Amino acid sequence: MKDVTETGRGCRNAPILKERGQREVFCGLTSIIWLHRKMQDAFFLVVGSRTCAHLLQSAAGVMIFAEPRFGTAILEETDLAGMADAQDELAREVGRLLERRPDIRQLFLVGSCPSEVIKLDLEKAAEKLSARHGPHVRVINFSGSGIETTFTEGEDACLAAMVPTLPETEERQLMLVGALPDVVQDQALDLLGRMGIGPITVLPSARADDPVDVGPNTVFALTQPFLGETHAALTRRGANHIPAPFPFGEQGTTAWLRAVADEFGISDETFAQVTDAPRARARRAVAQAAEVLEDKSVFFFPDSQLEIPLARFLTRECGMQAVEVGAPFIHKDLVGPDMDLMAEGPVFAEGQDVDLQLDRARAARPDLTVCGLGLANPLEAEGLTTKWAIELVFTPVHFYEQAGDLAGLFSRPLRRRALLRTEAAE
């Protein structure tokens, strides 16, 4: 396939349709579901309402006898009305929690819509609680509110809040930034290690005692395209970003690894020796899964901020045609390299006015619509084939060994639709 960057036809400078209207997304509390699994000695305490608690329990599917690493400090009517000192109540709850769970080393106070509406100062609370319970427990606050945000920004806010607490270092090092499933992270570390790249740190780390520091000789590579605030926080600490397409599919993974390898002066021979075999496996896997995707059209509603890298993967590696690529926010310092690799054609939309986007999707009648859960069933009822966007966040899809699975996530809805039509015809 011809590289669009050679012809200057990339989409980085394409016009962007900016929309501000009704949105259909989950709030940032959803990110706790994958963060609490990643950070083994952390606890996420949401300061919110019973609705927040119900969201977390239903999303996580926690068994009744399980002891999860998240919970909700519920704001009662007296708190919301200002009749009780919510700071004192929170301090008592945290004290009880830490007494009951001495394994907790990091405690995250997570703001919600209710706590932000009443302007509860969780930053001040975190400072006081850190002074009281440190150094054994580090208390950090971040916002998981759904006000003007989307659900993946919960992770971004969490990691950005951690950056100022990281120790300073002068050591030349690589930092991988973004929560990945352990099996995927191990694959990335193995590839980089076999090239001779190191030392490598990971944010977020599995445990509070894992050595993660930052300084002017730190370079960092993002593994998720929704980490804009974390990118800014690391830059303020003097670290330098390695811009690259995100590691989705064979081409995206190769470009991401190549950017890191170039930063560390890795030779072409070493790079090829490490990547040739997994690249070939990824190409075969993608080709097999993507047969049904060739020449099909796809429409992305804004949801997770994965939309642009995924559109690049589908158009370049699976032969699809992107009609519209909507994203909650378009941060070109992050997704610009992916846009450079996309041919002209799709509409890029930032933000959401769901009624207008529904009208455009109905007019386009794409072969596949990638959208949130709330839109999928109605669109299916109208005869459109849909893919749940949130599944792409919870499923391992990064790097070479998951490239075929990623293509399969998009091809399965089309195969299912074709099978249903065949059965109906019979």
Side-chain angles (χ1 to χ4, degrees), residues 94-223:
V94 167
R96 295 189 190 108
L97 171 65
L98 295 179
E99 184 178 356
R100 189 173 71 251
R101 299 283 298 273
D103 57 305
I104 296 173
R105 298 297 311 282
Q106 295 184 94
L107 175 64
F108 291 94
L109 301 181
V110 188
S112 63
C113 299
S115 67
E116 291 194 1
V117 167
I118 66 171
K119 295 187 167 41
L120 182 59
D121 192 345
L122 292 182
E123 183 177 3
K124 180 180 177 182
E127 291 175 359
K128 289 183 175 180
L129 291 168
S130 283
R132 180 180 302 177
H133 298 287
H136 180 72
V137 179
R138 180 173 60 185
V139 184
I140 301 172
N141 84 285
F142 71 92
S143 173
S145 164
I147 301 174
E148 294 299 320
T149 58
T150 191
F151 71 97
T152 50
E153 287 183 276
E155 177 180 337
D156 189 22
C158 177
L159 301 191
M162 295 175 69
V163 170
T165 71
L166 300 179
E168 182 80 16
T169 183
E170 297 294 326
E171 185 178 26
R172 167 75 166 170
Q173 62 173 356
L174 171 66
M175 178 185 289
L176 299 189
V177 184
L180 294 172
D182 290 342
V183 63
V184 177
Q185 180 176 298
D186 290 345
Q187 290 171 17
L189 293 174
D190 177 64
L191 288 166
L192 295 167
R194 286 163 55 200
M195 290 183 203
I197 296 172
I200 303 174
T201 61
V202 178
L203 182 72
S205 60
R207 299 192 174 276
D209 291 336
D210 291 344
V212 183
D213 39 28
V214 65
N217 294 316
T218 300
V219 293
F220 65 95
L222 300 176
T223 61

Side-chain angles (χ1 to χ4, degrees), residues 21-351:
Q22 183 179 348
R23 300 174 300 130
E24 295 283 343
V25 293
F26 287 111
C27 70
L29 298 181
T30 314
S31 64
I32 294 172
I33 306 307
W34 64 84
L35 287 172
H36 92 281
R37 295 170 181 162
K38 187 68 181 175
M39 305 165 72
Q40 298 295 308
D41 56 4
F43 191 95
F44 295 82
L45 183 62
V46 177
V47 183
S49 65
R50 285 182 170 82
T51 301
C52 303
H54 293 157
L55 168 67
L56 286 174
Q57 288 203 315
S58 60
V62 177
M63 294 183 298
I64 191 169
F65 297 112
E67 191 171 35
R69 291 188 298 278
F70 61 85
T72 306
I74 295 175
L75 293 168
E76 301 288 358
E77 290 181 3
T78 53
D79 300 308
L80 297 174
M83 299 171 62
D85 190 328
Q87 294 275 4
D88 290 343
E89 292 285 338
L90 180 60
R92 280 194 290 272
E93 289 302 318
V94 167
R96 295 189 190 108
L97 171 65
L98 295 179
E99 184 178 356
R100 189 173 71 251
R101 299 283 298 273
D103 57 305
I104 296 173
R105 298 297 311 282
Q106 295 184 94
L107 175 64
F108 291 94
L109 301 181
V110 188
S112 63
C113 299
S115 67
E116 291 194 1
V117 167
I118 66 171
K119 295 187 167 41
L120 182 59
D121 192 345
L122 292 182
E123 183 177 3
K124 180 180 177 182
E127 291 175 359
K128 289 183 175 180
L129 291 168
S130 283
R132 180 180 302 177
H133 298 287
H136 180 72
V137 179
R138 180 173 60 185
V139 184
I140 301 172
N141 84 285
F142 71 92
S143 173
S145 164
I147 301 174
E148 294 299 320
T149 58
T150 191
F151 71 97
T152 50
E153 287 183 276
E155 177 180 337
D156 189 22
C158 177
L159 301 191
M162 295 175 69
V163 170
T165 71
L166 300 179
E168 182 80 16
T169 183
E170 297 294 326
E171 185 178 26
R172 167 75 166 170
Q173 62 173 356
L174 171 66
M175 178 185 289
L176 299 189
V177 184
L180 294 172
D182 290 342
V183 63
V184 177
Q185 180 176 298
D186 290 345
Q187 290 171 17
L189 293 174
D190 177 64
L191 288 166
L192 295 167
R194 286 163 55 200
M195 290 183 203
I197 296 172
I200 303 174
T201 61
V202 178
L203 182 72
S205 60
R207 299 192 174 276
D209 291 336
D210 291 344
V212 183
D213 39 28
V214 65
N217 294 316
T218 300
V219 293
F220 65 95
L222 300 176
T223 61
Q224 303 284 14
F226 45 74
L227 299 176
E229 291 300 320
T230 307
H231 171 278
L234 287 168
T235 301
R236 287 193 294 270
R237 289 292 305 269
N240 294 292
H241 177 222
I242 303 174
F246 285 90
F248 298 121
E250 180 269 321
Q251 294 180 24
T253 300
T254 301
W256 187 91
L257 288 170
R258 182 75 265 180
V260 176
D262 288 346
E263 176 68 28
F264 284 85
I266 304 303
S267 69
D268 291 343
E269 292 77 13
T270 299
F271 186 84
Q273 183 180 11
V274 172
T275 62
D276 278 356
R279 285 181 71 181
R281 288 196 299 272
R283 281 194 295 268
R284 289 194 297 270
V286 170
Q288 182 176 5
E291 290 177 354
V292 71
L293 300 176
E294 186 75 30
D295 295 326
K296 298 294 193 301
S297 59
V298 61
F299 189 109
F300 282 89
F301 279 82
D303 192 82
S304 66
Q305 297 194 81
L306 298 177
E307 291 84 9
I308 289 176
L310 292 176
R312 185 266 308 154
F313 165 72
L314 290 175
T315 55
R316 283 185 60 88
E317 300 191 46
C318 301
M320 297 193 79
Q321 306 296 321
V323 177
E324 179 168 322
V325 183
F329 305 97
I330 297 179
H331 193 320
K332 289 189 178 180
D333 286 345
L334 276 60
V335 299
D338 283 287
M339 297 178 77
D340 288 337
L341 297 176
M342 294 180 64
E344 295 176 348
V347 172
F348 288 91
E350 182 180 45

